[in-house]
């Protein structure tokens, strides 16, 4: 039997609902879930003694369950005569204090300020099916009528899918009226418990009516997903609506991953709930060619801090190779971000354990232990030594990281392209340079000293290190210009276009003793960083020109 309308516009038609409930009979129809999904939120705002108006009640069991839970002063209204008759017959003897009335929610007969709460589960969504002028006018009448019958301090509780036009209408109309706006997302665990398979997230909007006070700041809040979390106070309606849209996009990604295991890699950022800054980046990599077993469904791989730019972790092809090598059908590759504090692998595991399961593949056995993996068994080391801003290139950081094994590196990274290392130098302990050896009795103290690098006092630059393969090729080619007999002191002049941290220029200067080295660098901030943080210095054989490289080359050519 077809119970769905031919077009969404029919949802706002009383004739459609009359026919719908006549065909459906007395079987309850629950829009966006029932009492189990919503009770945790509803009982925060509806008190047992409150007078509650339920608009567009249909034949949902929600009012009956609320009544049985102690909220018995309930008035239900609907435009369908069929459903009002059914619900009165069903509840007259069992729930005598609850009434069902045939009434249009846009023009009720109740007196002003009659109710402490108005509950709307899907009614606004059914009315506001599009953005045509007539539809918007009807929605405005509904919301205005709700505001009229609510007492000051009363709450309009609206359960909605929050489609873009519905979201904008709700948030804009009530915030402009000075109401407090608070949004909850219905718990995922509640939906699963009741057997709901709805792919999109359901939201509960709680609008609290307050006296308008000029100059009083708007209260716009996104509530946390879990009981222990903190609400996020938003500075504008756009910020609040963006948070809802982010949750909708996340739900669509999850649904796509559940439906299509083996789809192209999916990446998403998880932000800190307080600062709003990105804390983790997830890359979901499926390997459908791996044969399933009881233990290889799903694993989490934590990229050590500072190694996210390596090919294996920083490229899609590399991550596919990583997923194939560890042997799991779905691998969640997690990148950690600078300016975020991570205490240990155990702390990360505790923080992410619930969230990563939301991205688990379909068919993951209940109570399956999901392993957390990493290269080297820990979360790596990253110390930001300096943060600056270039007028030409934007914000940048100088940071020290631990590479593969026990090597440490200093890097210059422009934040406009965080996955590219602009310059890199290897760090050596100062006692290695001087030949002195110090014994430490406490190995834990030694490890702590390594993990909290202070290169200015304990490390020096390894000037023999070339970070890039193409640098090695350049030096190999340069050596072919030399007379083998006097290679180290043969006089050559070299122009290096682009200084960076200065490692290539310094290498030529130190290992080709007869070389006159000139570097041309367009960004003065880069020269400052090279001198201050990468051990670069000038002398009579090493000079730097602050200029555009192409212009400088043309000037040289013009001088012959």
């Amino acid at each position: 039997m077809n119970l769905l309308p031919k077009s969404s516009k029919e949802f706002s038609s009383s004739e459609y609902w009359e026919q719908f409930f006549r065909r459906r009979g007395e079987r309850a129809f629950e829009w966006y879930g029932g009492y189990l999904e919503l009770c945790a939120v509803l009982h925060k705002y509806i008190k047992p003694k409150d007078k509650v108006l339920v608009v567009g009640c249909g034949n949902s069991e929600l009012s009956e369950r609320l009544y049985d839970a102690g909220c018995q002063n309930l008035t239900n209204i609907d435009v369908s005569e069929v459903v009002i008759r059914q619900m009165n017959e069903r509840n007259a003897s069992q729930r005598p204090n609850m009434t069902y009335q045939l009434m249009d929610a846009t023009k009720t007969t109740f007196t002003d300020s009659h109710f402490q709460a108005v509950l709307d589960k899907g009614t606004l969504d059914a009315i506001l099916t599009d953005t045509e002028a007539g539809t918007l006018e009807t929605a405005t009448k509904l919301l205005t009528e709700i505001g009229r019958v609510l007492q000051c301090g009363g709450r309009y509780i609206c359960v909605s899918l929050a489609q873009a036009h519905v979201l904008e209408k709700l948030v804009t109309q009530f915030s402009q009226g000075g109401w407090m706006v608070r949004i909850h997302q219905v718990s995922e665990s509640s939906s699963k418990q009741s057997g709901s398979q709805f792919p999109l997230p359901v939201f509960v909007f709680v609008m609290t009516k307050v006296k308008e006070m000029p100059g009083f700041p708007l209260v716009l809040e996104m509530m946390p997903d879990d009981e222990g979390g903190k609400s996020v106070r938003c500075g504008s309606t756009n910020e609040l609506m963006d948070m809802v849209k982010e949750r909708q996009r996340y739900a669509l990604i999850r649904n796509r991953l559940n439906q299509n295991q083996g789809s192209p890699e999916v990446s998403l950022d998880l932000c800190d709930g307080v600062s709003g800054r990105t804390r983790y980046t997830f890359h979901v990599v499926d390997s459908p060619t791996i044969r399933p077993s009881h233990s290889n469904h799903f694993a989490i791989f934590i990229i050590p801090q500072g190694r996210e730019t390596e090919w294996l972790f920083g490229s899609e092809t590399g991550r596919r190779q990583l997923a194939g090598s560890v042997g799991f059908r779905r691998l969640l590759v997690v990148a950690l971000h600078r300016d975020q504090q991570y205490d240990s692998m155990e702390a990360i595991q505790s923080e992410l354990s619930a969230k990563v399961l939301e991205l688990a593949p379909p068919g993951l056995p209940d109570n399956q232990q999901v392993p957390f993996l990493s290269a080297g068994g820990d979360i790596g080391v990253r110390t930001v030594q300096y943060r600056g801003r270039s007028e030409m290139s934007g914000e940048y950081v100088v940071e020290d990281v631990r590479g593969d094994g026990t090597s440490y590196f200093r890097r210059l990274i422009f934040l406009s392209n965080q996955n590219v290392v602009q310059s890199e130098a290897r760090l050596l302990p100062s006692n290695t340079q001087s030949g002195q050896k110090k014994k430490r009795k406490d190995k834990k103290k030694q490890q702590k000293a390594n993990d909290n690098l202070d290169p200015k006092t304990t490390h020096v630059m390894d000037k023999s290190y070339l970070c890039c393969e193409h640098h090695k090729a350049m030096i190999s080619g340069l050596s072919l210009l030399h007379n083998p007999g006097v290679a180290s002191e043969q006089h050559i002049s070299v122009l290096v276009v682009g200084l960076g941290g200065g490692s290539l220029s310094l290498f030529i200067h130190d290992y080709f003793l007869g070389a006159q080295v000139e570097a041309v660098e367009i960004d003065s901030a880069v020269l400052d960083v090279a001198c201050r943080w990468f051990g670069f210095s000038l002398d009579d054989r090493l000079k730097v020109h602050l200029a555009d490289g192409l212009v400088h080359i043309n000037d040289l050519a013009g001088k012959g």
Side-chain angles (χ1 to χ4, degrees):
M1 183 183 297
N2 182 17
L3 297 176
L4 295 176
K6 294 177 181 178
S7 71
S8 60
K9 204 165 185 64
E10 289 189 40
F11 277 129
S12 59
S13 163
S14 59
E15 291 80 9
Y16 166 74
W17 290 111
E18 193 78 354
Q19 186 180 33
F20 176 90
F21 288 114
R22 187 175 290 114
R23 286 183 178 181
R24 186 174 178 87
E26 296 186 6
R27 287 181 297 126
F29 179 66
E30 301 292 355
W31 280 62
Y32 313 153
Y35 179 80
L36 281 178
E37 289 94 336
L38 302 172
C39 62
V41 176
L42 296 184
H43 287 298
K44 288 179 184 288
Y45 302 105
I46 298 177
K47 307 306 178 190
K49 294 183 180 180
D50 285 349
K51 289 182 181 179
V52 182
L53 173 64
V54 182
V55 295
C57 60
N59 66 359
S60 168
E61 295 178 347
L62 181 60
S63 293
E64 296 165 326
R65 299 292 297 274
L66 281 170
Y67 187 98
D68 296 342
C71 301
Q72 298 188 353
N73 201 343
L74 292 163
T75 301
N76 300 272
I77 63 174
D78 202 286
V79 293
S80 170
E81 185 177 350
V82 171
V83 83
I84 292 299
R85 184 175 65 252
Q86 288 176 356
M87 298 306 286
N88 273 321
E89 291 173 355
R90 199 162 88 187
N91 291 282
S93 59
Q94 297 181 29
R95 301 175 180 90
N97 297 329
M98 182 165 63
T99 63
Y100 286 84
Q101 302 180 34
L102 182 66
M103 196 178 298
D104 185 341
T106 65
K107 44 186 177 183
T108 71
T109 58
F110 305 111
T111 58
D112 293 353
S113 305
H114 187 73
F115 296 98
Q116 281 91 34
V118 174
L119 178 57
D120 167 358
K121 184 160 76 82
T123 300
L124 179 64
D125 284 9
I127 289 175
L128 192 52
T129 55
D130 53 52
T131 56
E132 293 181 6
T135 307
L136 289 171
E137 183 181 354
T138 303
T140 300
K141 288 180 179 178
L142 171 68
L143 300 182
T144 302
E145 185 69 0
I146 287 170
R148 182 186 70 80
V149 301
L150 268 176
Q151 296 179 2
C152 190
R155 296 185 173 102
Y156 170 44
I157 302 168
C158 179
V159 184
S160 170
L161 281 185
Q163 288 177 277
H165 60 286
V166 177
L167 173 65
E168 183 175 4
K169 180 65 177 173
L170 268 171
V171 173
T172 302
Q173 179 157 334
F174 285 103
S175 63
Q176 287 177 349
W179 292 46
M180 294 172 57
V181 179
R182 178 177 282 181
I183 305 176
H184 294 260
Q185 182 177 341
V186 174
S187 163
E188 174 77 13
S189 59
S190 297
S191 298
K192 287 183 177 178
Q193 187 178 357
S194 69
S196 172
Q197 299 299 319
F198 208 63
L200 294 174
V202 175
F203 295 92
V204 180
F205 292 78
V206 182
M207 314 299 194
T208 304
K209 183 178 180 179
V210 295
K211 290 182 179 179
E212 287 193 61
M213 292 181 284
F216 193 79
L218 288 176
V219 178
L220 307 167
E221 292 182 326
M222 189 75 201
M223 302 307 290
D225 296 335
D226 57 333
E227 288 292 329
K230 294 182 179 179
S231 62
V232 178
R233 181 71 65 90
C234 298
S236 68
T237 56
N238 284 336
E239 183 182 347
L240 181 63
M241 290 189 287
D242 284 344
M243 296 187 76
V244 172
K245 292 172 184 176
E246 284 294 332
R247 283 159 171 77
Q248 291 170 328
R249 283 192 283 268
Y250 178 60
L252 289 173
I253 288 173
R254 290 181 55 199
N255 187 56
R256 174 181 147 197
L257 289 171
N258 284 333
Q259 298 296 326
N260 301 303
Q261 191 173 8
S263 59
E265 177 181 295
V266 172
S267 299
L268 61 152
D269 292 335
L270 263 66
C271 299
D272 183 281
V274 177
S275 69
R277 292 183 176 180
T278 302
R279 181 161 173 80
Y280 297 101
T281 295
F282 287 176
H283 305 282
V284 184
V285 188
D286 284 337
S287 302
T289 56
I290 296 177
R291 294 185 61 184
S293 70
H294 72 282
S295 60
N296 74 340
H297 287 272
F298 188 41
I300 318 302
F301 188 97
I302 306 297
I303 303 172
Q305 296 178 90
R307 298 187 61 188
E308 62 277 351
T309 58
E310 296 179 18
W311 176 83
L312 189 63
F313 310 127
S315 69
E316 186 172 342
T317 306
R319 290 189 291 268
R320 280 202 304 269
Q321 179 174 310
L322 174 66
S325 66
V326 298
F328 286 85
R329 288 175 61 78
R330 174 169 290 175
L331 185 68
L332 185 62
V333 183
V334 181
L336 313 179
H337 284 252
R338 61 180 56 83
D339 296 329
Q340 295 288 327
Q341 182 67 37
Y342 307 99
D343 295 330
S344 64
M345 179 67 84
E346 291 74 20
I348 291 175
Q349 185 170 349
S350 175
E351 183 179 3
L352 292 182
S353 56
K355 184 60 67 176
V356 297
L357 286 176
E358 296 177 359
L359 300 173
L364 181 71
D366 292 338
N367 302 317
Q368 174 79 51
Q369 190 76 20
V370 178
F372 277 69
L373 314 172
S374 183
D378 63 13
I379 63 173
V381 177
R382 185 204 317 265
T383 304
V384 175
Q385 296 290 358
Y386 183 72
R387 180 182 292 275
R389 181 176 181 82
S390 158
E391 290 297 324
M392 179 167 293
S393 306
E395 293 185 29
Y396 63 85
V397 294
V398 177
E399 62 185 22
D400 295 345
V401 301
R402 187 175 67 206
D404 190 6
T406 58
S407 298
Y408 290 86
F409 300 91
R410 176 162 295 173
R411 292 172 176 168
L412 168 63
I413 294 176
F414 288 105
L415 298 185
S416 59
N417 195 356
Q418 299 189 35
N419 290 327
V420 174
V421 177
Q422 181 71 19
S423 297
E424 180 180 89
R426 184 163 61 192
L427 298 173
L428 294 175
S430 57
N431 55 17
T432 301
Q433 188 78 2
S434 64
Q436 298 176 358
K437 296 183 179 179
K438 297 181 180 179
K439 295 183 179 179
R440 295 178 184 263
K441 295 181 180 180
D442 191 339
K443 292 183 179 180
K444 290 185 178 178
K445 288 184 179 179
Q446 181 181 18
Q447 182 62 43
K448 185 175 181 181
N450 286 338
D451 288 353
N452 296 280
L453 289 169
D454 184 6
K456 290 182 289 186
T457 57
T458 62
H459 289 76
V460 295
M461 301 296 152
D462 180 2
K463 295 184 179 181
S464 69
Y465 173 73
L466 293 173
C467 65
C468 302
E469 291 301 314
H470 63 269
H471 283 179
K472 298 173 185 177
M474 290 175 177
I475 296 300
S476 300
L478 187 61
S479 66
L480 297 177
L481 298 176
H482 285 259
N483 183 324
V486 289
S488 63
E489 296 186 9
Q490 185 170 344
H491 295 289
I492 58 173
S493 72
V494 180
L495 176 65
V496 178
V497 184
L499 178 66
S503 60
L504 179 62
S505 300
L506 281 174
F507 189 97
I508 298 170
H509 172 273
D510 290 354
Y511 289 91
F512 295 84
L513 300 181
Q516 293 287 334
V517 183
E518 295 185 23
V520 56
E521 171 58 52
I522 196 170
D523 191 345
S524 61
V526 171
L527 175 59
D528 293 340
V529 167
C531 294
R532 182 176 176 185
W533 296 102
F534 286 84
F536 184 78
S537 60
L538 303 173
D539 62 19
D540 58 347
R541 289 196 301 111
L542 181 56
K543 299 178 180 179
V544 174
H545 304 276
L546 287 173
D548 182 301
L550 184 58
V551 172
H552 187 70
I553 290 171
N554 285 329
D555 288 346
L556 292 175
K559 296 175 183 176

